[in-house]
């Protein structure tokens, strides 16, 4: 997976006059720690779980990136996600490097108390690696503000000082930022709005959302509220489709109450297998779940003219080429879903200054960054005649190269 991701680096380097030292630094993760966590289960037994934290590169600042809880987590996946975070933070010009963490676990199989013990065990194991000036975790797939709250609490008790800036995506009551909850989707939404004219998107354009977790639900809500027609939303169990447009509020309520399938019976709606989401007839397809959802065997099915990547890595490099050949514009993950880490940065800034912003301030600042970086990347893609993904990598690599050079020729690692 990491080898695949690294092909983007070479592609981007070909468009810049980059020193080979820069590529040598960015080709390998700086450090990946693997730990076996042991917790007490509710029935009194002990159980162990593999866990990782990767600090990929800290040239531009402390490493930053989420922690995912997933049964398929692996060291390779964590390192790849940490590589993407390095570029994502550089795309957005945030003063961070890239990191990522994971526990190999199905969180749905644990009780709430077990989940809390596991979250605390992760921080006990990695307390010397993370820190507000070193490595700052956040939520990712199957982790949320409740888990971040437990983790921040555990860290604070280990170091003996209230330290909210060690983790972002916390509950508001523990120093979380207003506007963090829907920030990933909102960033993508501001990006689409900024580029709507260039992308030829008109009022009533049809949207299909693959994956209906945090990012998927919020993007459906925001786009429906802005006059788009959300014609499909899907999760791991199925795809709810209505060419005339779904009732998004009802879909969110159904998802919370036990499943989207319940709405399959509603007049006009149909309930399809989950994989149908990729080939839905629509203008904007939003993959908002996991990696590799669009691959060489289903890329031909995509009917959308725009793909907004709210998930990390939802398109394989092979599929990426097939979509580009067909003139489909992909708004790439490291730009399109960067609203999440951007508001994480705002949260960290607020924690450090001890003064908190209104939700309007958060939205306005997020909008400004998304529009500035999104527009710059759009321009770069036009100037160089390359995809938005390549342009985003070029944009980020230029910043990373500058920072690597500015550190001097004898210095290799920071914190
Ligand atoms: N997990 C999110 C991402 O992949 C957010 C990371 C963060 O806020 O640090 O971008």
């Amino acid at each position: 997976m990491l080898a695949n991701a690294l092909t983007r680096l070479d592609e981007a380097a070909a468009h810049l006059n980059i020193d080979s030292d820069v590529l040598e630094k960015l080709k390998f993760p700086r450090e990946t720690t693997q730990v076996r966590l042991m917790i007490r289960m509710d029935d009194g037994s002990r159980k162990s779980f593999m866990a990782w934290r990767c600090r990929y590169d800290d040239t531009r600042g402390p490493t930053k990136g989420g922690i995912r809880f997933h049964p398929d987590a692996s060291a390779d996946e964590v390192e790849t996600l940490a590589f993407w975070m390095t570029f994502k933070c550089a795309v957005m010009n945030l003063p961070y490097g890239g990191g990522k963490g994971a526990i190999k676990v199905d969180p749905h199989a644990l009780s709430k108390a077990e989940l809390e013990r596991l979250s605390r065990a992760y921080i006990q194991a990695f307390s010397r690696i993370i820190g507000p000036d070193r490595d700052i975790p956040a939520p990712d797939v199957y982790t949320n503000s409740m888990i971040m709250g437990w983790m921040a609490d555990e860290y604070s008790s280990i170091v003996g000082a209230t330290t909210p800036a060690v983790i972002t995506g916390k509950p508001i009551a523990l120093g979380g930022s207003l506007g963090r909850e829907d920030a990933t989707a909102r960033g993508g939404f501001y990006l689409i709005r900024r580029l709507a004219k260039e992308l030829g998107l008109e009022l009533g354009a049809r949207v299909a959302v693959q994956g209906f977790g945090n990012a998927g639900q919020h993007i459906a809500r925001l786009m429906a509220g802005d006059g788009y027609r959300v014609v499909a939303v899907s999760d791991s169990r199925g795809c709810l489709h209505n060419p005339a447009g779904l009732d998004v509020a009802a879909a969110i309520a159904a998802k919370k109450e036990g499943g989207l399938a319940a709405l399959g019976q509603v007049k006009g709606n149909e309930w399809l297998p989950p994989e149908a989401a990729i080939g839905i007839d629509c203008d904007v397809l939003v993959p908002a779940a996991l990696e590799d959802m669009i691959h060489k065997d289903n890329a031909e099915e995509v009917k959308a003219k725009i793909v907004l990547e709210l998930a990390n890595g939802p398109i394989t490099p092979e599929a990426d080429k097939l979509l580009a050949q067909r003139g489909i514009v992909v708004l790439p993950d490291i730009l399109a879903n960067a609203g999440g880490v951007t508001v994480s940065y705002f949260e960290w800034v607020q924690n450090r200054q001890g003064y908190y912003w209104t939700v309007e301030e958060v939205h306005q600042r997020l909008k400004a960054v998304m529009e500035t970086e999104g527009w710059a990347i759009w321009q770069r893609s036009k100037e160089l005649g390359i995809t938005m993904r390549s342009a985003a990598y070029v944009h980020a690599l230029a910043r990373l190269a500058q920072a690597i050079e500015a550190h001097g020729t004898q210095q290799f690692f920071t914190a």
Side-chain angles (χ1 to χ4, degrees), residues 53 63-68 81 84-85 88-89 96 99-100 136-141 143 168-169 180 184 310-312 333 337-345:
R53 185 75 191 165
T63 46
K64 182 89 192 81
I67 300 172
R68 74 170 50 179
L81 289 158
W84 286 331
M85 285 309 302
K88 195 185 296 186
C89 292
Y96 290 139
K100 204 79 173 197
I136 306 140
D140 197 75
V141 173
T143 52
T168 59
R180 176 64 184 84
T184 304
L310 286 192
N312 287 312
D333 48 8
N337 73 27
V341 69
T342 302
V343 178
S344 273
Y345 165 57

